[in-house]
Amino acid sequence: MRESRYWILSLVAAACLVVLLGTHLFLMHLDTLLAYLGMANPDPLDYSAVMARGRSGGWVGAYILLLAFSLYHGLYGLRSVLSEVVSPPGQRMLTWAVIAVGFIAFTWGTYVVIKSSLMGGV
Amino acid sequence: MAVFKIQRYDPEKDGRPYFQTYEVPVEQGMSILDCLFYIKERLDATLSFRASCRMGICGSCAMYINGLPRLACETQVTSLATDTIEVRPLPNYEVIKDLVVDLAPLFEKHQRVRPWIIPYDPVELDRPTKEYHQSPAELERYLQFAYCLKCGLCLAACPTVATDQEFIGPQALAQAFRYNSDTRDGGDTERMAAVDTLHGLWRCHMAGACAEVCPKGVDPALAIQLMKREAVFGKKKGRARLADPPHAVKLLPGILKAPEPTVKRSEGEI
């Protein structure tokens, strides 16, 4: 595949990350702002709140998408940076190493999210 | 009198580059190249540099003058507004001797983008029957990029070439755009495959130094950005139509008749 396709995918991932990370930040870390805006939100790290999110299919899907987009965007950038300093013979290995890291991290992250969902959100 | 500090280096003899100083009596109108010839002819015949046309056409005398890659023949000594002039070989190239650098990477990268017209109809190219019709607007799309001298200044100025020797570079990318924009050319796909790579279009960090130093006003940075757009959104290019050569044309008053062809075709030849 041509480099422009990977680059477009990276841009698409970035656009999706703006939405997903924005939502994540707003709900998980800006609860004081939410309270200020009059939107009552229980402590997002409260046990029952974590369980409720873990049971929700929408949250599980959003977590997996957030993981996929952030891994792709971050690892594509990392590959671009490293390819400037890695000599040409090592670049194919670099690409495969980045793919392997991405695959392992995605599998692990997805496993954690699904497992906790199956366990009832723990 | 101007003081020239020139970087000397002979890889066969010297351990490392060093500077040698010369005093040159500068007169109004003297270029850096004139001064280098003065030094070579009167002060030190061992100084090596490359030059040919002396008029900014061949691009041979590209070197690093007072902190910028420039053509020595086009740089007037007085324009530098200083009495001390430091001349070094172009950065981002290997030094062969003194101010002479190895331009092989430039030409190898240039060749990679197939910098020639790849016609839609190879038979027509081989045995032309008609003329290509190209409007002034179509010519305008690539004209500035056709002024490239292949002097290599843009690669010397490029910070990305400095960190990534694999980067195909502004010169080759600008030439890829030049031929891709030509309505007589049908080689876009092959050329795009050569430049739409990790070390091609997408390696450019948009510093714009290439456009700053080009002695012919070519803007390779612009070509790269336009080609990125084409790589992402695709490209619609018109094809130059074939037209019969004009015949029985009446010249308007004041327009000179074109000279006769210097090579006459034999009868029966198309």
Side-chain angles (χ1 to χ4, degrees):
Chain A
M1 195 158 76
R2 285 188 180 174
E3 193 63 25
S4 52
R5 306 289 184 269
Y6 296 121
W7 187 76
I8 293 168
L9 277 177
S10 166
L11 281 195
V12 170
C16 295
L17 278 177
V18 168
V19 177
L20 288 169
L21 267 180
T23 310
H24 170 81
L25 275 174
F26 196 63
L27 295 177
M28 304 291 290
H29 302 288
L30 300 176
D31 45 326
T32 47
L33 179 65
L34 280 174
Y36 178 77
L37 293 173
M39 299 162 74
N41 190 32
D43 180 7
L45 296 181
D46 187 72
Y47 178 76
S48 57
V50 173
M51 274 184 56
R53 284 200 304 276
R55 280 195 299 269
S56 156
W59 270 106
V60 169
Y63 280 139
I64 292 173
L65 282 178
L66 182 59
L67 178 67
F69 289 136
S70 50
L71 275 175
Y72 181 80
H73 189 75
L75 289 174
Y76 176 77
L78 181 70
R79 169 180 167 260
S80 296
V81 171
L82 291 180
S83 67
E84 211 162 303
V85 289
V86 172
S87 59
Q91 282 179 5
R92 186 175 283 267
M93 195 185 286
L94 169 71
T95 301
W96 281 111
V98 166
I99 291 172
V101 168
F103 182 76
I104 292 168
F106 182 73
T107 309
W108 196 357
T110 308
Y111 168 77
V112 170
V113 172
I114 292 175
K115 179 84 174 171
S116 61
S117 172
L118 292 175
M119 288 169 69
V122 179
Chain B
M1 194 69 78
V3 177
F4 273 73
K5 281 174 68 185
I6 299 179
Q7 183 176 310
R8 305 294 309 270
Y9 179 53
D10 183 350
E12 290 179 2
K13 287 195 294 190
D14 305 322
R16 56 170 57 189
Y18 61 95
F19 279 97
Q20 198 159 351
T21 306
Y22 304 94
E23 286 193 348
V24 179
V26 176
E27 291 171 20
Q28 186 70 27
M30 277 179 86
S31 67
I32 298 294
L33 185 61
D34 292 329
C35 297
L36 292 175
F37 274 119
Y38 179 92
I39 294 167
K40 187 159 180 79
E41 287 166 6
R42 302 186 189 204
L43 305 178
D44 185 351
T46 64
L47 177 67
S48 295
F49 56 91
R50 202 187 266 133
S52 182
C53 75
R54 307 185 190 208
M55 59 179 83
I57 299 295
C58 71
S60 299
C61 62
M63 46 193 80
Y64 198 67
I65 302 163
N66 274 14
L68 267 186
R70 315 176 203 238
L71 290 185
C73 67
E74 279 202 338
T75 308
Q76 290 285 308
V77 177
T78 49
S79 74
L80 298 173
T82 174
D83 291 338
T84 308
I85 295 153
E86 191 179 281
V87 187
R88 298 173 182 227
L90 284 181
N92 299 343
Y93 296 97
E94 272 190 39
V95 176
I96 295 175
K97 186 171 180 281
D98 297 338
L99 303 174
V100 180
V101 293
D102 184 5
L103 292 173
L106 168 79
F107 296 119
E108 188 274 315
K109 288 169 181 176
H110 185 215
Q111 201 175 11
R112 251 192 263 169
V113 302
R114 298 165 182 261
W116 56 83
I117 287 179
I118 301 170
Y120 292 100
D121 181 2
V123 180
E124 182 63 30
L125 178 79
D126 195 36
R127 301 193 67 80
T129 57
K130 295 185 176 181
E131 291 184 351
Y132 285 108
H133 180 271
Q134 196 167 58
S135 70
E138 288 169 339
L139 172 71
E140 198 66 34
R141 274 183 219 150
Y142 67 82
L143 185 61
Q144 71 141 311
F145 305 106
Y147 291 141
C148 172
L149 299 177
K150 289 87 187 167
C151 61
L153 288 182
C154 51
L155 267 78
C158 178
T160 311
V161 174
T163 54
D164 180 7
Q165 290 291 313
E166 283 300 296
F167 176 43
I168 197 161
Q171 190 275 335
L173 289 170
Q175 290 315 293
F177 181 76
R178 177 255 174 272
Y179 285 96
N180 277 359
S181 306
D182 196 315
T183 51
R184 296 166 295 176
D185 178 86
D188 309 40
T189 313
E190 296 167 50
R191 231 171 262 122
M192 203 49 105
V195 300
D196 190 359
T197 61
L198 186 59
H199 296 280
L201 277 180
W202 306 98
R203 178 56 78 223
C204 170
H205 294 319
M206 296 181 276
C210 50
E212 292 284 324
V213 300
C214 180
K216 289 293 157 188
V218 178
D219 189 350
L222 172 68
I224 294 170
Q225 298 316 311
L226 292 174
M227 209 154 41
K228 278 182 182 172
R229 187 167 70 183
E230 288 171 4
V232 173
F233 297 109
K235 179 183 183 178
K236 269 189 185 171
K237 184 169 86 172
R239 266 192 203 189
R241 66 183 168 82
L242 287 167
D244 285 319
H247 59 278
V249 176
K250 240 184 161 180
L251 288 178
L252 292 171
I255 295 181
L256 296 175
K257 189 175 180 294
E260 290 297 319
T262 50
V263 179
K264 303 246 184 205
R265 286 184 170 163
S266 57
E267 255 180 61
E269 192 182 342
I270 300 170

